Amino acid sequence: MSDGDAGRAVEFVGPERVEVVPTEAPVPGPDEVVVDATVSAVSAGSELLAYRGELDPETVADEELPALDGDLSYPLRYGYAVVGSVTAVGDAIDPAWRGRTVFAFNPHETRFAVAPDALRPVPDGIDPETATLFANAETAVTLTLDAAPRIGERVAVFGEGVVGLLTTALLARSGAETVVAVEPKDRRRSLASEFGADAVVDPSRYGG
């Protein structure tokens, strides 16, 4: 994709209606870079809510992420886990940024301009698909720090989706004596064991 090319973006236009719309070619400001997206992860939680029309349209999208300004009314561009390469830099930006692989909290679109301080360089050896999990890993780290397990404590993680599995992996490396994963799906329980859970529990076996 050349620097003059326009791009495309995913747009939620109404309940159960999603379109791919054209976007103008981004031009970096003096303090910005342009990122060409390589891969963009879909959130099975919040994005399904947007798709179904179950988000409060008057809710602020995310006050801490400039790329998600405005509210959650339609039409809505959403998403927060994009990995791509820096293809252009503004006049005030170090040219060394060009060519870097970076992570961005940004909606699904092929190209976008952004300030470098909103990006996270992807370390060597981590592929773009794995790097899209940075946002989930950040949440897992926060949960683990908030739980603050003490040496010898027993900890349970309810739900072994992406964030649950990452949290389980981190807790398994903490001072907790036992980490128990509670999850009804066989595959996820198996993954929880691989990620370090000392025991797994199928809650459906104990239903009334």
Side-chain angles (χ1 to χ4, degrees), residues 43 62 65 80 103 105 132-147 162-168 170-171:
S43 165
D62 196 313
L65 300 179
Y80 51 81
F103 170 92
F105 291 95
T132 60
L133 297 174
F134 282 0
N136 302 100
E138 179 183 54
T139 301
V141 168
T142 299
L143 291 172
T144 302
L145 292 175
D146 287 346
V162 173
V163 173
L165 286 169
L166 292 169
T167 303
T168 295
L170 291 173
L171 288 169

Side-chain angles (χ1 to χ4, degrees), residues 104-122:
F105 291 95
N106 197 83
H108 305 293
E109 54 186 336
T110 54
R111 310 186 84 203
F112 53 93
V114 64
D117 60 6
L119 301 173
R120 297 294 179 267
V122 176

Side-chain angles (χ1 to χ4, degrees), residues 55-104:
L55 293 175
D56 183 350
E58 297 183 359
T59 300
V60 175
D62 196 313
E63 295 179 332
E64 297 185 7
L65 300 179
L68 297 177
D69 58 351
D71 56 33
L72 296 175
S73 61
Y74 297 121
L76 172 65
R77 295 182 188 178
Y78 199 75
Y80 51 81
V82 178
V83 177
S85 298
V86 176
T87 56
V89 299
D91 294 338
I93 300 299
D94 185 345
W97 272 95
R98 187 186 290 269
R100 287 185 181 177
T101 300
V102 294
F103 170 92

